[in-house]
């Protein structure tokens, strides 16, 4: 598992910040792509 | 003003948005993926903050884009008030949800960073409180749209909320100068600011531009979808309420 960096005592907070941010961006992306596909039909 | 009046025509706006939106989407994807890669894997830890400095690369851009979204929403509402152009209302409305999401992400990531660096998730200091008010303003704006059946009236009231609430933007910006606060003063945007080393500045800028293009993609797509839905409603006049027609 060398490709997963070790952020020491901040690890939980760093991964949580990025995890929530990426999840929200992906949710917006999925919603927008679905709406765009409906529009183009 | 030339660009605004050019894009005020829905047909020209649609032509522009259909070309620009996919370009913004691809740029956002490339910049955000690269920013996350550099932020997590390539940039060094900070001497004082340690690895928690990496949270800054998602926290700072999220708050900046939240503020930019509110400014865009207030400006579009102002145009709607002056020229009564329904496209401006749709543009303002499209900024609200992404703006609220970026502001919420900024608050959440900021509180996580605060726990690692200050030992607390929350402090009622000027910047955090004014950013929380920004989130409430976004929610209030969306609540007006959702709770007012007459969409023309909703646009007028929500526009007023957006414009009056924009007074909060300079308060967020200058709160660190006006009040004693845990937050540091500006380290990037001011000419005499101490600045950041390139290893920190690169992921911060990549994520900022990535979020900006992502926001642009979301807003343009949302407005295109609204125009399309309004067109469908016009083609089915019996099924649509005339008060729902905003375009």
């Amino acid at each position: 598992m060398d490709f997963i960096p070790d952020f020491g005592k901040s690890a939980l907070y760093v991964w949580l910040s990025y995890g929530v941010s990426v999840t929200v961006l992906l949710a917006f992306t999925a919603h927008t792509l679905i709406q765009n596909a409906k529009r183009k039909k | 003003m030339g660009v605004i009046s050019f894009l005020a025509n829905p047909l020209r706006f649609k032509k522009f948005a259909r070309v620009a939106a996919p370009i913004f989407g691809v740029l956002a994807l490339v910049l955000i993926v690269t920013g996350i890669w550099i932020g997590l894997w390539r940039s060094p830890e900070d001497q004082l903050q340690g690895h928690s400095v990496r949270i800054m690369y998602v926290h700072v851009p999220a708050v900046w884009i939240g503020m930019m979204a509110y400014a865009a929403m207030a400006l579009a509402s102002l145009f709607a008030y002056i020229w009564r152009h329904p496209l401006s209302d749709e543009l303002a409305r499209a900024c609200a949800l992404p703006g609220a999401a970026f502001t919420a992400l900024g608050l959440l990531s900021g509180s996580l960073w605060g726990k690692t660096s200050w030992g607390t998730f929350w402090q009622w200091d000027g910047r955090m409180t004014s950013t929380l008010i920004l989130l409430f303003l976004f929610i209030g704006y969306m609540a007006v749209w959702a709770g007012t059946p007459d969409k023309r009236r909703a646009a007028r009231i929500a526009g007023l909320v957006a414009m009056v609430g924009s007074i909060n933007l300079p308060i967020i910006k200058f709160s660190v100068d006006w009040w004693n606060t845990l937050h540091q003063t500006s380290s990037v945007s001011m000419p005499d600011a101490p600045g950041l080393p390139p290893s920190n500045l690169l992921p911060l800028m990549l994520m900022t531009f990535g979020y900006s293009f992502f926001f642009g993609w979301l807003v343009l797509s949302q407005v295109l979808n609204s125009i399309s839905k309004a067109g469908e409603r016009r083609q089915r006049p019996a099924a649509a309420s005339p008060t729902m027609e905003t375009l």
Side-chain angles (χ1 to χ4, degrees):
Chain A
M1 301 293 273
D2 287 344
F3 61 91
I4 298 178
D6 176 19
F7 296 138
K9 62 182 172 64
S10 304
L12 173 67
Y13 301 109
V14 172
W15 287 115
L16 204 56
S17 296
Y18 279 77
V20 174
S21 298
V22 169
T23 304
V24 170
L25 296 186
L26 287 177
F28 267 112
T29 303
H31 178 259
T32 304
L33 288 176
I34 290 167
Q35 294 297 315
N36 289 352
K38 279 183 187 168
R39 184 186 80 225
K40 287 169 185 167
K41 267 185 188 172
Chain B
M1 291 305 283
V3 177
I4 293 168
S5 54
F6 177 80
L7 292 176
N9 180 311
L11 285 177
R12 282 200 291 257
F13 179 86
K14 274 165 78 174
K15 273 187 188 171
F16 163 77
R18 280 181 180 150
V19 175
I23 296 171
F24 283 10
V26 171
L27 282 172
L29 181 70
V30 171
L31 289 168
I32 290 172
V33 168
T34 312
I36 290 175
W37 168 252
I38 293 176
L40 286 179
W41 276 273
R42 309 304 299 174
S43 68
E45 66 179 305
D46 187 73
Q47 276 187 338
L48 293 174
Q49 299 179 41
H51 286 293
S52 70
V53 71
R54 299 176 201 283
I55 299 174
M56 286 291 125
Y57 309 142
V58 287
H59 163 66
V60 176
V63 177
W64 279 348
I65 302 304
M67 291 172 68
M68 187 188 80
Y70 199 91
M73 197 171 83
L75 208 58
S77 298
L78 179 67
F79 290 145
Y81 258 74
I82 295 172
W83 288 293
R84 305 214 164 215
H85 199 294
L87 197 58
S88 298
D89 281 328
E90 288 302 327
L91 200 61
R93 197 178 174 185
C95 293
L97 185 59
F102 276 116
T103 306
L105 280 178
L107 285 167
L108 179 76
S109 54
S111 72
L112 291 171
W113 180 86
K115 182 64 181 169
T116 64
S117 297
W118 300 334
T120 179
F121 286 111
W122 189 261
Q123 191 78 38
W124 290 101
D125 82 337
R127 176 153 286 179
M128 292 160 86
T129 307
S130 53
T131 307
L132 184 65
I133 290 170
L134 183 71
L135 178 63
F136 291 156
L137 283 167
F138 275 121
I139 293 170
Y141 177 91
M142 291 186 287
V144 169
W145 270 106
T148 313
D150 181 347
K151 293 306 167 194
R152 286 182 201 278
R153 190 173 156 79
R156 306 301 286 173
I157 302 170
L160 207 58
V161 171
M163 287 186 289
V164 172
S166 63
I167 191 71
N168 190 42
L169 295 177
I171 294 176
I172 296 174
K173 166 72 181 146
F174 295 111
S175 57
V176 289
D177 303 317
W178 292 344
W179 296 296
N180 278 330
T181 171
L182 286 171
H183 274 88
Q184 66 185 71
T185 52
S186 180
S187 53
V188 177
S189 58
M190 300 300 282
D192 57 349
L196 291 173
S199 57
N200 295 125
L201 198 59
L202 179 63
L204 185 69
M205 287 298 118
L206 284 169
M207 292 300 284
T208 301
F209 285 113
Y211 277 12
S212 303
F213 282 118
F214 186 75
F215 175 74
W217 175 65
L218 290 180
V219 170
L220 290 180
S221 300
Q222 181 59 43
V223 175
L224 277 176
N225 293 335
S226 298
I227 293 173
S228 172
K229 280 178 191 164
E232 283 172 19
R233 280 199 297 270
R234 270 199 296 271
Q235 285 169 357
R236 291 181 280 114
S241 158
T243 57
M244 293 293 284
E245 289 295 312
T246 55
L247 285 172

